Each structure stands twice: as structure tokens, then as C-alpha cells.
Amino acid sequence: MPLILSAPVLAADKPAAPAPTKKSRHHSPRSVAGHSTTIDVSARRHDFAYPEAQHQPDATTRLTAERLRERDVTTLRGLERVAPNLTIQSINGTASTNFYLRGVGFNDFTQSNMAPVLTYIDDVAYPYSTMSNGQMFDLAGASVTPGPVGTEHGQSDTGGEVHIRTNNPTDTWHFGATQDIASYARSRSEAYISGPLAKGLSFRLAGQTLHGGGWQTNPQNGDHLGDADLWALRGKLQWKPDSHTTILLGGHFTQDNSEVVTSVPVHRLIGTQALPKFASWQQANWSSRPEFAKLFGRKAGIKPSEHNQFWGADLHIIHDFGPVTFTAISAFETEREGEYTDQDGTALSEADTYRTVNANSFTQEVRLNNSNPNDRLQWVVGAYYQRSRMNQRFFFDYTNYSARRYMMATNFGLNQEAVSELGHVSYRLPHNITLWTGLLHELDDRSITGLRSEIFGGATNTFHGESTASNQFAGQVGISWQMTPHSLVYYKMSKGFKPGGFTANNTQIQAQLDPFQPETVLTYEAGFKADPIPNRLRVNGAAFYNDFHNQQILGTVLIPNYGPLSEITNAPKSESWGFEGTIEAHPFSHLFLTQNIGWQRGNFQNFPTVNRAKTNAYYAQHHEWKAINDNFAGVDNGQPKLTLNGSADWRQPIAKAYALDFGPDWQYRGSQAITPGGTGFYRLPPYFLLGAHVTFRPASGRWEATLYARNILNRRYAESGGQATTTYFYIPGEPRFIGGRVSYGF
């Protein structure tokens, strides 16, 4: 990308204006949602980004398009390399993801329930994070907001939100293209074109393709796995009939036929077969029987892979009436997913799985807010509606598992509808003090229908539907003080709410369909923002305490004569606490440093459940299933206690016509449990990764060339993990990748 990048974005995420020297002012970061602004990357190359946000009382991490590009953030998972206290993990190596922000999150294999951390793209909430797959291109920026949200926009949740902003159409012609080639024949191509079509009418068309990159090999036959095969398009049409009105119509389409990283077993729970031994951590075993592939209509020899389509459209209407601004956002998103995983990680068919997902979601949001950001009184009121429909079918191949020796399928439907009303108001008092409060009320209805488990050649079980409804309030109250022009402190209390839902995969008895209850959290947060040496040193930090009631946790249920299965349940009482901070330093000419730090602890205060480790140990000794019940009161919540990421960048002008940027970056994640109370192989080991980049560009900013490396030390590490019938497995992380990227634009 060029050094000077015009990047119009929705001002829903536009930082508030900086506070004046004598009077602070605070207003909602979404109070002027929908208007356009322009990011000039060149203006930030010798200063800290988003200076206006230093006057907003929040713990949001705001990321420029340049920072995302430098750190090679091309998927949602990459955001954990540039934000504190954030862990994003793929599910069994697939495109589906689970979020943990400040340790708040849960593992939902089916992705059929509302997540504690929501994904937004251009102000549109995605109820299922998989729907956002393939959309991380032509970016204008991103933000990560921890803690309960929802009183100013969108939906309420308990963990926070990740908001991606993509570039809008421009009033002048622009074109850009990027080609990225890296190890293992990985290739990523991007391009965009943007400009006017008529007076007041402009468009933008952008796309990307991704191929190769497979780094796993099968020592049994020399086959390799993991090649990407994805393409995506996004189009936007913007019409400004007058100076007060903006109408923005957008649409996108993604086709993903990528192979996925497969699991590596680390412990056998059932059976006597030896686990595979590999000469390299980049090796793995996988297989698929032709009979199983025929069952779900795919070719014999299918590898662990995706066969997905995602598409959607959204309409933004913004009109400034003078004293108030009206915003309406309508969106429709669809997901068509076909996904094969070899979960046991062996050449046997003990837990091979294929699932299909057909889902769609319609959302409608309307907001009114005052138009003048300089007013002492700032307010926003609005309403939000969401309707989603989903049908899933799971196919399982247990042919080589001696206790079953069959293939089976489970299918079900999910219906959901929610409506909420929200309001937020803030008032600036004398002496640079601002008070604010917000309130949200939400009704949510969910039901599961038509669930049937069929053993091919055996019995078929049909289960009656279940439903659950929630009627809850969420809210926020806080105070901030702009102590000096360059230092802000704040304190707030927030209540977050997330509706209940269902666990539906591999259902064997009706009781598994009992809905889990809504989750609520009361969060206390105190923070500060300071530029003690303007343009030289910036230090931001926040401390928090979360008081959970009925926290939704992936627990365990034991099915007699079948074995332990994962089930989302509620921990009646739990808590977590910690802090996060960001230090940005420009100690002397040419050197720029960034360090994010996140630390959190938490435990269950009351959590009666089946102890999976003890239950598995009993089976190993007695060869029969017996539930060993336990209460995990006082047990750690298992989330990584310490997460770090940062970078050092040396920016060197060359003969006034060119510039050279280079430096390392790093990431650390502490140990993480993959089952409540887990120790030993039930925990993912900690890891540290080192990367680097060097970029050469002319002063004109028309083009740039970059060499980069990730995981330079070629460290072996586990990105996520889980259980699949007979084994516990880890999903290995990427090995060393070395690549080059060339961009051109005007």
C-alpha cells in the first residue's frame, strides 16, 4: 500500500475530537455514526495514532490500517498479535473461531450460540463469527473493545467486541494492488478501484485471492495439507444527494475451499493403539474412508478442508437534521458451510467429522443522536432487531472405534429472534469532569427444532424441540476527569447480558437439549490515558474486576455406555480480574516502540460438573464409564494469565527520496486449559513467537516493498486443542514463514 492512503471509514468508529486545554469534552464514539473521514497514513508516521481517542474514557485498542499491514494481520486471528488480553483460536484448525477477551469467552464447536465477544464489520454485528471469514482485506482500521457493551449501538454482550472497518468509496479516482508471496508457495493478491460515477455518486470494488501455504505432511504417503483456496469480493456504492445525507449500499461474497490444519493427538483416552510418532512437528496423520465421503456427497480421498460460501448485503442511511442525526443500518448475512475434520488425528476413523451449516441473519438498527460534538450534553437513543435461522447436520465416522463401529448423523434447526432498546447520555461538568450513563433492554427468544440422531444401519432417535427466552437489562454508569490536557482518568461500572442457548452436536439423550441459562456480568473498571511526553511517550492502562452469574462454560456430561461429551453449561458463580496496558515510545529520532501487556486471573466460586480428567482416569483403570462429579469451586478459569505483544520499528530516511523501515515484533501467550481444572496434557503450553519486517518505500508513497518473517525461531507451539472421542489433541501453530510483499497505488 502507498505511504499516503486515503481511507474513508464509517465514523461510527471515528475517535472523538481532542479535548481543549481548559475544558474536556466527552461524547459517544458513535454519536456521528455514518459520516466519512479520511485517514492519512503519512501524517502518523512520526506521531502516535488516534490522538483524539486519548480523551475518551475507554480501554479500546484502536488499530490503523498501516499497523494491521505491518503485522501481517489478514485474518481475525491475527488481531491477537496487536491487542492486549485477546486470544482468538480456530476450532479444530478450521475457519470457525472462538474469542477470549480479558479471559471472557467460551468454546462453541457448533458456532450456533451467541458469543461473549461479537464481531462487527462496518457497524454490522455478525451473530456467528464464521460469517466474517475472508473479509479482512482493503481495511481502513480495526478496534478491540473489552467489557460489556451495547448501550450506544448494536447488541449487548458480556465480553466486548471486535470491530473491523473497510474502506469506503472516494470522490476521486484511486487504484491499488498488492502481491504477497511467502513460504510453502503461499500467495495472497489484493486489488481495489474507487472513484466517482456521477455527481454525488461514487463506488469502490475490492477483492482478494489466497492460495497455497500448506505446511503439514503425512509421513505415511508423503501427502501435504493446509493449502488455502479462497477468493472474496466486496463492492460499495455511496450516494450523497445533498450535504446532509449519505446512503451507502454494500455487498460481499466469499468462496473458501481451503484445506485446514489437522490435529496432532497428545494422549489416548480410549483403546490400546499407539499414538503416531512423528519425526517433525510439521507432520500429522489424516484419512477419510470412501464410504464416509459418499455419505455426505464428497469425493473419495477428501482432506480436512472447508467448502464454504458467505455472502451478504448492508444498507446505511444517515441524515443530519441539524440538531439531531438519524442513522439506519439494515443487513442480511448468509453462511453455507461444508467442513471436514479428522479430529482424532490418526489414520483410523475414530472421530472423523463432516458438518454442513446453512444459516442466515437479518439485522436492523436505528439510532438518533445530537449532531454537535461540542455540546455539553451528548446523547444517543436507538433500537436493534435481529432474526437468525440455522440448520446444521453433523456426520460422524466411528468405524474403527471398537465401542461403536458405525457411522451416524445428527441434524437440527435453530431459530432466534431478538429486539432491544438502548440509550446513552453524557454531560460535561465544569473542571473537566464528565458523567455518563447508558441502559439497554433486550428480549431474546431461541428454539431448537427437528433434532434427530441416526445410526446408519442402526437406530434413529428423534428428540422434541426446546426453547428458551430471555428478558434482561444491561447498563453502564461512569465518570471521567481530564486532569491535564494530556492525562485522563476514569471509572465505570457496567452490567452485561448474553442470552442462553443449546448444545446440539452428537446428542444422545433428551436431557442434552436442556437450554443453558443467560449469562450476566457486573464489571468494575478503572483506567487512565496519558501522554506524559507528547509525541514521545504514551501510556494507557485499565484494571477490571468481573463478577459473573451463570457464566456459560463448556463443561462435560457423561452418557452411560457412551462416554463423556462436551456440553455448554452454567457456572453459577465465578469471577475474574486483571489489567491491560499499552506503552508507545518514541525515545529518539527514528525509533518507535509499542508494547501491549495483558494479565488476568479468575476462578470458579461455584461450578458443579463432571470432572472429565477423573472420569477418564476411572475408565482407564476399570474399563467402564462412571461419572466422577465434582465442584470446581476455587479452581482457576484456565485462561492465559499473561499475554504480551509488541514491536520495535526503526524508520530511516534515505537521501530524502526514500525511506526504510525495519524491526522485530513479538508475541507471548501463557498456558491455557482446554478443559475446566485441566493440568498436564489438558493444558496448552505457553509459547513465544518472534517476527520481523523491513520495508522500502519512496517519499511519494506510490509503492512499497516489504520482506517479513513470522515465527523466525521456528518454535513448535499449540494454537488450540480439544478432545475427539478417543484422543486429546492439539492444533499446531504455523512454522516459520518468510515472505515478500509489493504494493502499488495512486
Side-chain angles (χ1 to χ4, degrees):
M1 294 291 179
L3 176 61
I4 299 176
L5 173 64
S6 294
V9 300
L10 293 179
D13 285 90
K14 175 184 176 182
T21 302
K22 295 184 178 180
K23 294 183 179 180
S24 69
R25 66 174 182 264
H26 163 68
H27 61 85
S28 162
R30 296 177 182 267
S31 63
V32 288
H35 290 200
S36 294
T37 188
T38 298
I39 295 175
D40 185 352
V41 172
S42 64
R44 294 195 174 119
R45 297 206 58 78
H46 301 289
D47 201 351
F48 299 134
Y50 300 108
E52 304 91 346
Q54 288 298 98
H55 306 279
Q56 293 188 19
D58 58 35
T60 299
T61 300
R62 295 169 174 84
L63 302 160
T64 65
E66 183 186 34
R67 172 59 61 86
L68 297 173
R69 186 173 62 255
E70 285 180 348
R71 297 297 302 276
D72 197 30
V73 178
T74 57
T75 65
L76 281 174
R77 282 205 58 232
L79 290 172
E80 69 177 9
R81 300 198 294 269
V82 288
N85 262 334
L86 177 64
T87 298
I88 308 177
Q89 296 169 311
S90 69
I91 301 174
N92 298 337
T94 68
S96 301
T97 53
N98 287 320
F99 290 77
Y100 299 89
L101 186 53
R102 289 181 172 175
V104 181
F106 75 150
N107 185 359
D108 183 10
F109 171 64
T110 65
Q111 294 282 280
S112 56
N113 297 289
M114 179 177 169
V117 181
L118 281 177
T119 302
Y120 286 76
I121 298 182
D122 291 336
D123 231 11
V124 174
Y126 283 63
Y128 311 117
S129 63
T130 310
M131 287 180 167
S132 63
N133 186 40
Q135 294 199 56
M136 293 283 287
F137 64 97
D138 194 33
L139 299 180
S143 60
V144 179
T145 301
V149 294
T151 63
E152 297 176 86
H153 69 277
Q155 278 193 288
S156 170
D157 63 23
T158 53
E161 66 185 31
V162 172
H163 198 127
I164 307 301
R165 305 189 308 276
T166 66
N167 287 317
N168 277 353
T170 53
D171 296 330
T172 56
W173 285 100
H174 293 274
F175 165 83
T178 299
Q179 180 61 54
D180 187 322
I181 298 175
S183 306
Y184 304 96
R186 192 190 71 186
S187 172
R188 179 183 296 112
S189 305
E190 297 184 23
Y192 73 88
I193 185 170
S194 178
L197 295 174
K199 183 178 180 180
L201 183 65
S202 56
F203 83 103
R204 191 179 191 98
L205 183 64
Q208 75 158 341
T209 64
L210 181 61
H211 299 281
W215 50 269
Q216 283 189 310
T217 59
N218 190 331
Q220 293 186 329
N221 54 22
D223 203 0
H224 81 282
L225 181 69
D227 280 341
D229 182 9
L230 178 149
W231 64 270
L233 285 173
R234 180 186 301 115
K236 291 186 178 183
L237 191 64
Q238 182 173 268
W239 180 38
K240 295 182 178 180
D242 55 56
S243 60
H244 301 288
T245 306
T246 299
I247 300 174
L248 181 64
L249 176 64
H252 62 89
F253 183 91
T254 299
Q255 178 70 52
D256 185 5
N257 296 319
S258 302
E259 298 168 0
V260 303
V261 176
T262 200
S263 60
V264 174
V266 294
H267 183 78
R268 178 169 288 282
L269 298 172
I270 301 171
T272 58
Q273 301 96 329
L275 292 178
K277 296 183 181 298
F278 302 116
S280 166
W281 65 278
Q282 294 178 222
Q283 293 181 335
N285 281 345
W286 64 88
S287 65
S288 63
R289 298 190 314 115
E291 298 85 353
F292 187 51
K294 183 178 180 180
L295 190 66
F296 49 81
R298 299 293 299 274
K299 293 182 180 180
I302 182 175
K303 296 181 181 180
S305 59
E306 308 279 3
H307 184 57
N308 307 336
Q309 286 185 354
F310 308 96
W311 63 269
D314 52 83
L315 177 66
H316 298 245
I317 301 174
I318 306 98
H319 183 77
D320 187 349
F321 288 97
V324 298
T325 298
F326 170 79
T327 302
I329 305 170
S330 309
F332 183 78
E333 298 293 334
T334 64
E335 173 184 354
R336 302 288 184 268
E337 186 172 11
E339 184 178 81
Y340 172 64
T341 52
D342 188 331
Q343 295 183 27
D344 58 276
T346 71
L348 302 174
S349 295
E350 297 179 324
D352 295 2
T353 304
Y354 189 87
R355 72 165 179 164
T356 63
V357 181
N358 293 309
N360 63 74
S361 172
F362 172 77
T363 58
Q364 176 65 61
E365 181 172 3
V366 293
R367 295 196 299 265
L368 275 176
N369 60 269
N370 64 310
S371 299
N372 188 353
N374 296 316
D375 290 346
R376 287 184 176 273
L377 177 67
Q378 297 290 319
W379 57 268
V380 57
V381 295
Y384 187 85
Y385 172 78
Q386 178 194 323
R387 177 188 182 274
S388 63
R389 297 290 183 266
M390 174 181 283
N391 287 286
Q392 291 200 28
R393 192 174 193 192
F394 284 81
F395 296 86
F396 301 95
D397 189 356
Y398 299 124
T399 302
N400 296 132
Y401 175 29
S402 58
R404 300 177 191 174
R405 296 195 180 282
Y406 54 70
M407 296 183 294
M408 65 170 295
T410 298
N411 57 273
F412 59 89
L414 286 165
N415 301 320
Q416 178 267 340
E417 193 168 15
V419 62
S420 59
E421 311 86 38
L422 59 92
H424 189 96
V425 60
S426 67
Y427 188 77
R428 188 178 72 250
L429 297 169
H431 307 294
N432 302 328
I433 295 174
T434 299
L435 303 175
W436 75 91
T437 186
L439 185 66
L440 175 139
H441 171 252
E442 182 174 318
L443 292 170
D444 183 278
D445 289 294
R446 296 169 184 258
S447 63
I448 186 168
T449 62
L451 195 146
R452 186 178 67 173
S453 288
E454 175 185 5
I455 297 176
F456 295 99
T460 297
N461 293 322
T462 302
F463 302 90
H464 64 73
E466 296 281 358
S467 61
T468 182
S470 306
N471 184 355
Q472 290 274 357
F473 285 90
Q476 186 179 110
V477 61
I479 182 172
S480 66
W481 177 30
Q482 189 77 46
M483 296 188 299
T484 72
H486 300 291
S487 59
L488 170 81
V489 294
Y490 70 90
Y491 173 78
K492 66 178 180 180
M493 295 183 295
S494 308
K495 180 193 176 186
F497 155 74
K498 188 169 84 70
F502 306 92
T503 307
N505 63 306
N506 204 358
T507 301
Q508 300 299 314
I509 58 175
Q510 182 68 42
Q512 286 179 263
L513 293 184
D514 291 343
F516 52 87
Q517 300 178 46
E519 170 183 288
T520 62
V521 61
L522 185 60
T523 297
Y524 306 85
E525 179 180 316
F528 68 92
K529 294 183 175 182
D531 290 283
I533 308 176
N535 300 326
R536 292 291 182 181
L537 179 63
R538 172 178 293 178
V539 183
N540 295 343
F544 62 89
Y545 174 81
N546 294 320
D547 182 11
F548 286 99
H549 291 268
N550 289 319
Q551 184 176 10
Q552 295 166 5
I553 297 291
L554 186 66
T556 300
V557 60
L558 180 68
I559 307 301
N561 302 318
Y562 192 88
L565 291 175
S566 297
E567 180 178 77
I568 301 174
T569 185
N570 296 96
K573 194 72 171 62
S574 57
E575 62 181 349
S576 65
W577 61 93
F579 66 88
E580 67 252 341
T582 298
I583 301 173
E584 296 181 82
H586 178 30
F588 51 82
S589 180
H590 309 309
L591 180 61
F592 292 79
L593 304 171
T594 300
Q595 178 64 61
N596 292 317
I597 180 171
W599 183 86
Q600 72 87 35
R601 293 290 302 269
N603 58 59
F604 303 110
Q605 295 163 295
N606 181 21
F607 184 21
T609 186
V610 172
N611 189 315
R612 177 169 287 195
K614 293 180 180 179
T615 300
N616 288 332
Y618 184 90
Y619 179 87
Q621 182 177 359
H622 301 282
H623 303 289
E624 65 173 308
W625 289 114
K626 178 182 177 181
I628 308 299
N629 295 306
D630 203 347
N631 192 313
F632 285 152
V635 173
D636 185 88
N637 65 8
Q639 291 306 304
K641 294 178 176 60
L642 179 64
T643 56
L644 301 169
N645 59 71
S647 63
D649 193 22
W650 185 276
R651 301 172 183 173
Q652 180 67 51
I654 301 177
K656 297 184 180 180
Y658 298 95
L660 186 69
D661 300 349
F662 59 91
D665 58 76
W666 51 87
Q667 178 188 0
Y668 172 83
R669 189 181 79 190
S671 176
Q672 178 183 3
I674 54 179
T675 187
T679 59
F681 62 83
Y682 293 99
R683 296 191 70 90
L684 301 176
Y687 65 80
F688 173 81
L689 304 177
L690 183 67
H693 80 280
V694 55
T695 298
F696 182 71
R697 56 167 64 86
S700 67
R702 292 291 189 188
W703 58 267
E704 69 176 32
T706 298
L707 293 176
Y708 65 88
R710 284 167 47 186
N711 193 6
I712 291 176
L713 303 178
N714 205 30
R715 290 286 183 88
R716 177 179 182 174
Y717 67 101
E719 183 263 315
S720 61
Q723 182 193 12
T725 307
T726 59
T727 64
Y728 258 89
F729 62 82
Y730 292 163
I731 299 295
E734 290 182 344
R736 179 192 298 118
F737 266 80
I738 299 176
R741 180 175 60 245
V742 178
S743 302
Y744 177 81
F746 71 88

